[in-house]
């Protein structure tokens, strides 16, 4: 049986390697759905099922690999990294979808038009499928970023600059990747790609280094410590985005929101092209 990296726990090694293994699978599924336009026949329930199908492997994959292949007790405290990792990303996924999406509505002028069955399949004006689909995205982003940051071994301002660069690259690549999906709309493409990506990168400016801390200390942290760490990260993100809302306002004149309130329904105060 292959031994884990000496500096990492078995659970951490298995969790991160499974996420890297699963990444080309879930991204291929999403790309295939968008490219073939099969989503045009999706019902609200189909979107939710897609979200469940792509998010569950991030949890069950490491758990089953540890249990069935390595034969370890997956609920022993030293083997809980798979759960801590998913808690960290899961809390960010929920906080990002429930709260931070509304900054995208008001500051960026974005909105979802995914069918939700007259609101039955949305939560706080955000489609439930988007909560679920955010999970594999965040799982992939954080494993890759953590490995790049640790591999670089940069210190001080050089490490800060690397995190800023990784955050912006993540944001702009995701923005470009969803352009072909017509159920995510925004009024000003140029502003969305530039200022909007800078705004979105705020998320990862905080979440990447804070995940590095989890990866470094995860074997000793409790589940509660992990949740509090992720909640603190989400609060830093939301506070910084709110400062943008207060002092910089919307990214484009096409985002018709003079007050730029922090939380509002996506169709209120937003001018979208017909």
């Amino acid at each position: 049986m292959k031994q884990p990296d000496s500096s990492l726990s078995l659970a951490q090694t298995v969790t991160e390697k499974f996420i890297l293994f699963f990444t080309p699978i879930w991204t291929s599924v999403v790309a295939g759905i968008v490219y073939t336009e099969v989503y045009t026949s999706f019902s609200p329930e189909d979107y939710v099922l897609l979200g469940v199908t792509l998010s569950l492997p991030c949890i069950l994959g490491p758990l089953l690999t540890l249990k069935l292949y390595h034969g370890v007790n997956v609920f022993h405290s030293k083997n809980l990294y798979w759960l801590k990792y998913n808690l960290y990303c899961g809390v960010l996924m929920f906080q990002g979808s429930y709260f931070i999406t509304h900054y995208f509505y008001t500051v960026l002028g974005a909105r979802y038009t995914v069918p939700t069955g007259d609101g039955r399949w949305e939560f706080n004006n955000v489609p439930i499928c988007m909560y679920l689909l955010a999970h594999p995205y965040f799982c992939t982003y954080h494993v890759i970023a953590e490995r790049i940051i640790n591999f670089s071994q940069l210190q001080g301002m050089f490490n800060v600059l690397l995190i800023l660069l990784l955050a912006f690259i993540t944001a702009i690549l995701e923005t470009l990747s969803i352009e072909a999906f017509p159920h995510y709309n925004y009024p000003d493409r140029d502003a969305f790609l530039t200022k909007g990506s800078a705004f979105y990168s705020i998320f990862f400016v905080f979440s990447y280094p804070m995940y590095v801390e989890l990866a470094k200390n995860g074997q000793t942290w409790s589940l509660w410590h992990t949740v509090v760490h992720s909640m603190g990260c989400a609060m830093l993100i939301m506070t910084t985005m709110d400062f943008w809302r207060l002092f910089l306002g919307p990214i484009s004149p096409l985002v018709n929101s003079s007050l730029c309130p922090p939380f509002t329904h996506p169709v209120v105060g937003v001018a979208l092209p017909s």
Side-chain angles (χ1 to χ4, degrees), residues 103 106-108 168 191-192 194-202 236-252 259-260:
Y103 286 99
T106 56
V107 177
L108 309 188
F168 186 77
F192 199 83
T194 53
K195 296 178 185 178
S197 293
F199 182 81
Y200 184 26
S201 71
I202 292 170
L236 284 169
I237 295 165
M238 192 163 66
T239 301
T240 306
M241 287 185 170
D242 205 47
F243 286 161
W244 180 307
R245 174 188 69 85
L246 287 171
F247 299 110
L248 298 179
I251 63 170
S252 167
L259 295 177
C260 198

Side-chain angles (χ1 to χ4, degrees), residues 6 39 46 60-61 68 72 135 142 202 231 241 246 270 274:
S6 59
Y39 59 81
D46 291 330
L60 297 180
L68 301 180
V72 302
H135 194 67
H142 288 85
I202 292 170
M231 291 286 284
M241 287 185 170
L246 287 171
V270 176
S274 57

Side-chain angles (χ1 to χ4, degrees), residues 2 15 26 31 34 60 67 71 76 83 88 104 120 136-137 173 183 185 191 210 223 226-227 251 270 274:
K2 187 175 180 180
T15 299
W26 76 258
V34 173
L60 297 180
K67 179 68 176 177
H76 190 283
L83 182 55
Y88 179 81
F104 282 62
R120 287 182 294 109
Y137 275 85
L173 286 179
H183 288 302
N185 302 318
M210 293 189 77
L223 296 178
T226 303
V227 170
I251 63 170
V270 176
S274 57

Side-chain angles (χ1 to χ4, degrees), residues 144-170:
I144 293 175
E146 182 259 341
R147 295 205 164 200
I148 293 173
I149 292 167
N150 284 339
F151 178 79
S152 73
Q153 295 187 332
L154 295 174
Q155 302 294 325
M157 283 304 301
F158 292 106
N159 190 48
V160 172
L161 290 174
L162 175 61
I163 291 169
L164 290 172
L165 179 62
L166 288 173
F168 186 77
I169 289 174
T170 303

Side-chain angles (χ1 to χ4, degrees), residues 32-263:
I33 288 172
V34 173
Y35 180 77
T36 61
E37 299 185 353
V38 68
Y39 59 81
T40 57
S41 63
F42 278 12
S43 66
E45 292 77 11
D46 291 330
Y47 276 104
V48 173
L49 180 60
L50 173 66
V52 171
T53 302
L54 296 185
S55 59
L56 270 183
C58 298
I59 304 170
L60 297 180
L63 183 155
L64 293 175
T65 303
L66 286 165
K67 179 68 176 177
L68 301 180
Y69 182 74
H70 293 281
V72 302
N73 178 0
V74 294
F75 295 106
H76 190 283
S77 59
K78 71 176 183 179
N79 298 321
L80 279 175
Y81 192 84
W82 63 273
L83 182 55
K84 295 172 187 176
Y85 178 73
N86 277 282
L87 277 174
Y88 179 81
C89 292
V91 169
L92 287 179
M93 170 271 291
F94 180 82
Q95 295 288 87
S97 299
Y98 187 86
F99 290 111
I100 294 170
T101 297
H102 291 268
Y103 286 99
F104 282 62
Y105 291 161
T106 56
V107 177
L108 309 188
R111 71 169 181 178
Y112 291 114
T113 58
V114 174
T116 60
D118 295 325
R120 287 182 294 109
W121 291 101
E122 68 178 24
F123 189 50
N124 197 28
N125 294 322
V126 179
I128 290 174
C129 62
M130 294 304 168
Y131 287 81
L132 297 167
L133 288 170
H135 194 67
Y137 275 85
F138 287 177
C139 285
T140 291
Y141 293 163
H142 288 85
V143 165
I144 293 175
E146 182 259 341
R147 295 205 164 200
I148 293 173
I149 292 167
N150 284 339
F151 178 79
S152 73
Q153 295 187 332
L154 295 174
Q155 302 294 325
M157 283 304 301
F158 292 106
N159 190 48
V160 172
L161 290 174
L162 175 61
I163 291 169
L164 290 172
L165 179 62
L166 288 173
F168 186 77
I169 289 174
T170 303
I172 197 167
L173 286 179
E174 183 178 324
T175 302
L176 289 170
S177 71
I178 61 175
E179 273 197 304
F181 185 60
H183 288 302
Y184 188 60
N185 302 318
Y186 38 86
D188 188 332
R189 180 182 182 274
D190 291 340
F192 199 83
L193 286 175
T194 53
K195 296 178 185 178
S197 293
F199 182 81
Y200 184 26
S201 71
I202 292 170
F203 197 105
F204 306 109
V205 165
F206 290 107
S207 70
Y208 284 168
M210 293 189 77
Y211 173 66
V212 170
E213 287 301 307
L214 171 63
K216 195 182 301 180
N217 304 291
Q219 195 167 2
T220 58
W221 284 5
S222 66
L223 296 178
W224 177 245
H225 190 156
T226 303
V227 170
V228 171
H229 186 72
S230 188
M231 291 286 284
C233 179
M235 194 64 203
L236 284 169
I237 295 165
M238 192 163 66
T239 301
T240 306
M241 287 185 170
D242 205 47
F243 286 161
W244 180 307
R245 174 188 69 85
L246 287 171
F247 299 110
L248 298 179
I251 63 170
S252 167
L254 295 178
V255 182
N256 182 20
S257 181
S258 58
L259 295 177
C260 198
F263 304 116

